[in-house]
Amino acid sequence: MIDVQFQRGVWLPEHDFWLDPQDGKDFAFISHAHFDHIAPHREVLFTPGTARLMGERLPGDRIEHPLPFGETTRLRGYDVTLLPAGHIYGSAQIHLASEKGTLLYTGDFKLRPGRSAEPAEWRCADILIMETTFGLPRYVFPPADEVLEQIRKFCYEALEEDCVPVLLGYSLGKAQEILASLADAGFSVMLHGAVYRMTQLYGETQVTFPEFHRYQADAVSGKVLICPPNVSRSLMLRKIKNRRVAMLTGWAMDPGATYRYQCDAVFPLSDHADYADLLRYVDLVNPQRILTLHGFAAEFARDLRQRGRDAWALSAENQLELPIMVAVPEALAPLETGEAPVAASEAGMETEGSRFPEESQSSFAQFAVVGETIASVTGKKEKIRLLAEFLSRLDEIEAPLAAVFLTGRPFAQSDPRTLQTGWAVIRRALLLVSGLDETTFRARTSGLGDIGKAVLVTLSNRTHASAFSLRDAADFFDRLHLARGPDAKTVVLREGLERVSPLEAAYLLRILTGDLRIGLKEGLVEESLATVFEIPAADVREANMLTGDIGQVTRLTRAGRLSDADIRLFHPVKVMLATPEPTAEAIWERIAALGGASGIYEHGSHPFLIEDKYDGIRAQVHASPERTEIFSRDLRRVTEQFPEIAAAGRSLDRTAILDGEILAWSHGKKLSFFDLQRRLGRKDHPDLFVDSDVPVVFTAFDLLYLDGQSLLRTPLDERRARLRALPMPSAFRLAEATLVSSAEGVDAVFEAARQRGNEGLMVKDPASLYLPGRRGLAWFKLKKELATLDVVVVGAELGHGKRSHVLSDYTFAIRHEETGELLTIGKAYSGLTDAEIEELTAHFEATTLKHHGHYRSVIPQIVLEVAFDSVQPSTRHSSGLALRFPRIKALRRDKSVADIDTLAYARG
């Protein structure tokens, strides 16, 4: 086959023939006239259309070979034919033939027919070198006609509201495609100066444009304005007071695109092939070997190999393709260095029979490789097996570190340390290490949606990897925690990134940002430990619930001391949960069927403990005279947000861990959850509490630890007795409790709780032990007789009218009590403030799983309390139920998807 290498461009060394090199060469083929594909070469081959555009964009003396589409000529030992690429006007693919075989290089291309570029053609070839900008399955674009109709609708609606619709697209190619799509829409169009100049060069083509004019500030009203993306924050645009701005880009398929581009709308219009067309093109050309370039080159090559194709990335690290049980072809040169070809074993890659890298590699490099391997498999059992194999090879120091890192955290869940290292610091460090300027960095990382991929793109061949162990990684995170201020953190981050390979750097930053993205949940780490040490997985889970530290659990497991795991001061445990029931009768039927939740009572004679179910936020207070810490139900430290409670805890004069509820409280009276929400507003991070002047108290209803002794295995009635004996400091109060022995007694207490303004009741077995993280049948909860449900948002849509630019319509679900499946039950759009809707819009854009036209499915994270009139049977929702007149009562920032109500509760 024809020899191919990559050195900032594709190089065919036998005849010194370059394809789209980034630097000036003696001879080069230029596929099209975008700036990232042209350079001051001495001699060039291109189409007449590209020659015309390049004469405007890069004038200068050079030897030119303009070759019309479909004609064949002999150049530098090859029979050369140019074929339309469909990317922009004049863009070409090149087909080369010699005695060694044939090669087709696409440059940037698309198969979908456009209105401003020649339609793509193709020929069979032995080697296909193809661009893979959108080489992931999530990048399947909707039909172009559908997108263009949405763009035209966007323009119509903006003009009807006396706004100027501004469409952002690159000045060459995208802008002309937009303009051509408006040819029959009846709009008056203005073009930014750069777009205007490029469009004039299309004058002699067959492209049909509507009448257009150069931008004039005093005449833009009532016009559609087309601009390049770099003016999105310019003074020119800011001077247009009433404007609606839309970005047109293939990266619109990414979650959070509207938020990232800071515009009113984003439409998936691209001049590149999407994932489906990339696959189709491979089938059309049917090559013996595929070499991929740009974008998701490594991922798409791996995809093709899994489909039985011989495919390898030219412009990305094939070392990432570890699950493939073959070596890289030795004829394939390294990616960006231009060095001599290497075999897979010399490159540190996996070969036949090898699942993991050699043990001689540093332990963090092994960790990164294992992460990539686990990410590539889908089966739970295989992930557990691979993880168990890796953990079993580590020593008593590094195995606990790896276990914590594999949960996507730099520190254990119960460890209060934080890194406070935001994207601004990360970006600054990446710029310093890579040597890239801001513009190039943005161009390379735009739309990747994954910090790991951004690191791989920017740091390839720019770091000096040395031995870097899991211990070194732990030390790196500790130094980052201790560094104060963005400058100091940037120095630590830069030094760490310079020491490791790009793949290791990707995993360092994925852990730092809490987004490992390898399809691994903490439960699988627990099961892997159970597999390694041949112990019940339930025992490992129990220990992890008690300690909140999977690293500590790993140490105890290795030492055979798992039974030593217990609650510790300042190490929060997961809270015990209650099973919801719709009525007092239903609760009593459950108790009767079980013979008492503890199994020791007879129905009709046993008392159960009844408490109000408070309308606040669950909290755990760890108190001592020297220090008090407050943790939320998801084990986050929130001490600074409630200083009055922390101060009161220090005056307790005992060491204790109390479980309870934080309530808004004033003049001896509980305030509503709406008042408490003023202490729960979000700032820069969606999980941070915000101070306000709303007073609060901590209402304690359980005692988990006292003066060095764990009370988790002590019955509830004894725990309550010890709690009552504690002197309650200011800002603390004791939850009132009543003993009842019948459903009628529960109903009576329930009505009193309602009159006190609380949600309902908690019904607890006095003999129950405290089971962290468990939802058993020792505790039940009775809420407001189905007046409200706690639900999780699973889908979001754009609103209407003044909310047409925000996601304000939410589809929500409840949980199947046995399978855990989320089942839709309704949709609501009223009850939240504009500020809350703006906040949720940014959140849902960043957590979109899939677009379905105007509807998008989202990661189920946001919990709402929804009020309604009644529950009715329905075939529309997967729950089989629908809420009548649902409205949002509250945004429950203090709850997670584990806390939502169940199908059985809704049916009751």
Side-chain angles (χ1 to χ4, degrees), residues 546 565-569 622-623 654-658 702-715 718-719 722 726 770:
L546 289 171
D566 208 341
I567 191 170
R568 294 181 292 162
L569 197 63
H622 292 232
R654 306 283 291 274
T655 58
I657 300 177
L658 301 97
D702 215 329
L703 183 64
L704 313 185
Y705 175 98
L706 184 63
D707 296 334
Q709 179 186 2
S710 170
L711 302 180
L712 296 180
R713 295 174 176 85
T714 301
E718 185 176 340
R719 299 199 306 270
R722 296 196 187 190
L726 288 177
Y770 195 95

Side-chain angles (χ1 to χ4, degrees), residues 621-625 627-628 643-654 729-732:
V621 173
H622 292 232
S624 76
R627 172 187 172 195
T628 292
E644 62 269 61
I645 295 176
R650 290 191 293 273
S651 69
L652 189 62
D653 201 30
R654 306 283 291 274
S730 62
F732 277 49

Side-chain angles (χ1 to χ4, degrees), residues 420-430 485-487 489-490 493:
Q420 294 182 325
T421 304
W423 176 239
V425 171
I426 295 172
R427 184 177 64 246
R428 191 186 312 168
L430 288 174
D487 291 341
K489 290 185 182 292
T490 300
L493 190 53

Side-chain angles (χ1 to χ4, degrees), residues 13-86:
E14 184 177 11
H15 298 294
D16 194 26
F17 199 121
W18 287 89
L19 309 176
D20 279 338
Q22 297 179 37
D23 310 306
K25 303 296 181 184
D26 284 340
F27 179 88
F29 163 68
I30 297 175
S31 63
H32 64 282
H34 278 155
F35 277 122
D36 59 339
H37 284 257
I38 61 179
H41 310 302
R42 187 183 66 82
E43 188 174 358
V44 295
L45 168 68
F46 45 23
T47 66
T50 298
R52 179 175 182 172
L53 296 170
M54 189 170 167
E56 171 71 19
R57 309 200 102 187
L58 188 66
D61 295 330
R62 52 183 166 253
I63 301 172
E64 298 185 350
H65 299 277
L67 182 64
F69 290 126
E71 294 186 10
T72 300
T73 188
R74 186 75 175 177
L75 275 175
R76 293 192 166 231
Y78 297 106
D79 291 328
V80 179
T81 309
L82 302 187
L83 305 172

Side-chain angles (χ1 to χ4, degrees), residues 253-272:
M253 304 298 293
D254 282 332
T258 304
Y259 179 77
R260 184 175 70 248
Y261 289 114
Q262 294 294 291
C263 55
D264 299 296
V266 180
F267 297 107
L269 185 69
S270 178
D271 46 21
H272 293 265

